[in-house]
Amino acid sequence: MGTGKTLNGSNIATEHSVQQITTRTDSREILANARRDIARYHLDDYFIVDLDAHHVEFDSWGEILDRLENPVLRYNAKTMTQDWPNARNVAFSNHSVGMTFQDVFGRIPHQAELAEYVEKTDEHRDLTLVRRAMDSMGIKMQVVFPQPMLEMGLHPDKDIATAMMFAYNRWFTETILPREERVKTLLSLPFHDPDACLKMIAEFGETPGVVGFMIASQRHEGVHKNVYMRVYRELEERGLPLGFHAGPSWGDTMTSTMNRFLSAHAMSFVTCNMTHLTNWVINGLPERFPKLKLIWIESGLAWVPFMMQRLDHEYLMRQSDAPLLKRLPSEYIADMYFTTQPLEVTIPHMLEATFKAMHAETQLMYSSDWPHWDFDVPAQIAGLPFLSEQAKRNILGETARKLFRL
């Protein structure tokens, strides 16, 4: 794969007889099959919203550090990037060792870096990369998430975590969001600090393109604690959805016993959201905040029927432990929203049963998780034989259109 020039000087993808994906391979070539899917499934006829995609913030890390409000933290971070070459793109982040296993030791290199050629213009490089991916997959709108912020929930210095979240959100809403109306975001909250959460919502809650807020699920705070009720009430009153975005951890109590990245990746993305959902439901938060829309992101779907059955079973034996509930836990879960990625497709009849249990036609929303190594293209939904045409349209974008008033 290489790049050529048209007569007007723009870049085009040039195919070679032998294709090799490297960190410099053009996104449009990596997504060539997704491009073909547009014609195969008539995806141009769908309003497709990608509820979970990421960009390459670490390439712009210096710009984000420049927006640290505290001058001492800003100086310390910039000094770190100057004196420690390996910290240039990760200073003050909580980049975990497990993250570097995602490229399978170079076999899926685009996860490590999107170093493809982008012609230098006045436009930010990230915008070009986001548009290439959206156009290749037939996506009309994309909710872009802050990848490094997903690790901040386990940051050892909470003050730095809070400062970095504000710095990132200011950078993204000033640099990326205003320049592409097809890009939206759920901004990450410094959930360890309820007062900072309220400040974040006040600062960005009415920013165009901010369609809600997000909690990074890899954290040890209990979502049911009373200190967070003000945060939920503020979001509910503003009509802003709240997402819980799962993430990897290879150093938590259980995953630290695992000797393979596969094991830690399979479990850590699920157990964090299982924990928060359990606390949310059993402590009656759906009754306290009935209008607050919840979204569970990047945990797959296979765990949802399990949670419905398990919590119902336990609740019916110990209802006194959940006095605020007026319905079965499974009924509250069925009112929540979920994203598709990663879609567990290996046992089709179990996937179909999962869709039915969770009311997927109205509660499930497509997500790609691009550019991560396990991303899913829209054809994953468009090609499911057990879905009606309307269900496909809802999952691929219509449910998101209603939820976010797009």
Side-chain angles (χ1 to χ4, degrees):
M1 163 64 202
T3 55
K5 296 283 186 179
T6 61
L7 292 177
N8 64 7
S10 61
N11 299 322
I12 58 173
T14 305
E15 293 189 4
H16 294 288
S17 57
V18 177
Q19 297 183 9
Q20 179 184 6
I21 294 178
T22 72
T23 58
R24 299 185 181 279
T25 302
D26 194 294
S27 295
R28 294 165 292 187
E29 183 62 22
I30 298 173
L31 294 167
N33 287 331
R35 187 79 177 180
R36 297 184 187 101
D37 287 338
I38 295 176
R40 180 184 179 188
Y41 293 103
H42 306 288
L43 295 179
D44 277 339
D45 295 335
Y46 291 75
F47 179 72
I48 300 178
V49 180
D50 183 356
L51 246 293
D52 179 24
H54 302 273
H55 60 132
V56 285
E57 302 98 321
F58 280 134
D59 289 350
S60 306
W61 204 242
E63 300 174 25
I64 297 170
L65 296 178
D66 285 336
R67 286 169 170 78
L68 282 167
E69 195 171 29
N70 185 309
V72 176
L73 287 181
R74 186 169 61 249
Y75 173 82
N76 291 347
K78 299 296 283 188
T79 300
M80 187 183 294
T81 63
Q82 295 166 10
D83 294 346
W84 292 83
N86 291 338
R88 182 174 61 89
N89 290 345
V90 295
F92 276 18
S93 76
N94 192 37
H95 188 72
S96 62
V97 62
M99 294 295 291
T100 55
F101 282 69
Q102 295 197 50
D103 72 347
V104 200
F105 308 104
R107 280 173 280 179
I108 310 179
H110 80 273
Q111 170 68 60
E113 183 183 13
L114 287 180
E116 62 194 81
Y117 175 77
V118 174
E119 192 172 87
K120 290 185 178 180
T121 65
D122 292 336
E123 188 169 81
H124 200 284
R125 187 174 187 275
D126 276 16
L127 284 169
T128 301
L129 296 177
V130 167
R131 288 177 183 139
R132 286 180 181 179
M134 291 176 67
D135 293 342
S136 296
M137 289 187 276
I139 291 168
K140 301 298 190 296
M141 287 190 178
Q142 191 171 64
V143 179
V144 177
F145 280 90
Q147 171 62 36
M149 300 303 112
L150 297 179
E151 304 156 24
M152 287 294 182
L154 297 176
H155 200 291
D157 190 320
K158 300 303 184 183
D159 290 338
I160 288 179
T162 298
M164 286 302 301
M165 287 181 184
F166 273 97
Y168 170 84
N169 290 348
R170 287 168 181 149
W171 171 79
F172 189 78
T173 55
E174 294 168 4
T175 306
I176 305 298
L177 204 55
R179 291 169 174 79
E180 176 52 77
E181 63 180 9
R182 295 186 298 165
V183 171
K184 311 296 179 185
T185 191
L186 298 174
L187 292 179
S188 184
L189 290 172
F191 194 64
H192 51 273
D193 185 340
D195 290 332
C197 288
L198 291 171
K199 181 182 176 183
M200 185 78 74
I201 296 167
E203 181 171 342
F204 298 102
E206 297 182 9
T207 302
V210 175
V211 296
F213 288 86
M214 177 199 80
I215 295 170
S217 297
Q218 280 295 352
R219 62 178 60 249
H220 298 145
E221 285 84 12
V223 301
H224 58 287
K225 294 181 178 178
N226 282 333
V227 292
Y228 298 119
M229 299 305 113
R230 297 173 297 151
V231 177
Y232 305 145
R233 179 66 69 203
E234 183 70 18
L235 292 172
E236 184 183 52
E237 291 178 352
R238 289 174 176 263
L240 293 169
L242 175 64
F244 283 83
H245 194 304
S249 172
W250 205 345
D252 219 332
T253 306
M254 295 306 296
T255 55
S256 61
T257 69
M258 297 174 175
N259 67 333
R260 293 288 185 266
F261 176 78
L262 183 158
S263 306
H265 192 269
M267 296 307 298
S268 63
F269 274 87
V270 181
T271 52
C272 58
N273 270 349
M274 289 171 68
T275 298
H276 299 317
L277 181 144
T278 299
N279 280 332
W280 188 276
V281 172
I282 298 304
N283 287 279
L285 296 187
E287 289 292 342
R288 297 185 68 176
F289 306 100
K291 295 181 181 180
L292 178 57
K293 306 299 184 183
L294 244 59
I295 314 165
W296 302 93
I297 302 165
E298 203 174 329
S299 292
L301 306 180
W303 62 288
V304 180
F306 163 77
M307 294 298 293
M308 288 177 158
Q309 296 178 81
R310 186 68 178 172
L311 292 182
D312 280 1
H313 174 78
E314 295 291 326
Y315 171 70
L316 289 173
M317 294 192 295
R318 293 182 65 94
Q319 294 179 41
S320 60
D321 276 357
L324 293 181
L325 300 194
K326 298 178 181 179
R327 298 188 289 162
L328 290 172
S330 62
E331 296 180 77
Y332 294 110
I333 296 172
D335 289 339
M336 297 174 178
Y337 293 89
F338 298 84
T339 64
T340 60
Q341 208 282 331
L343 200 62
E344 300 100 343
V345 298
T346 55
I347 308 177
H349 72 273
M350 293 181 69
L351 180 64
E352 183 176 0
T354 297
F355 272 51
K356 183 178 180 180
M358 65 187 301
H359 302 170
E361 184 166 348
T362 59
Q363 305 307 121
L364 184 60
M365 296 179 287
Y366 165 73
S367 62
S368 72
D369 198 36
W370 173 264
H372 293 173
W373 65 282
D374 56 345
F375 70 93
D376 288 337
V377 296
Q380 286 279 55
I381 296 299
L384 290 176
F386 57 80
L387 288 179
S388 68
E389 176 63 21
Q390 189 58 52
K392 292 177 182 179
R393 291 187 177 276
N394 288 351
I395 294 169
L396 284 171
E398 294 304 328
T399 297
R401 189 206 297 266
K402 293 177 183 177
L403 178 62
F404 298 113
R405 301 186 295 273
L406 300 176

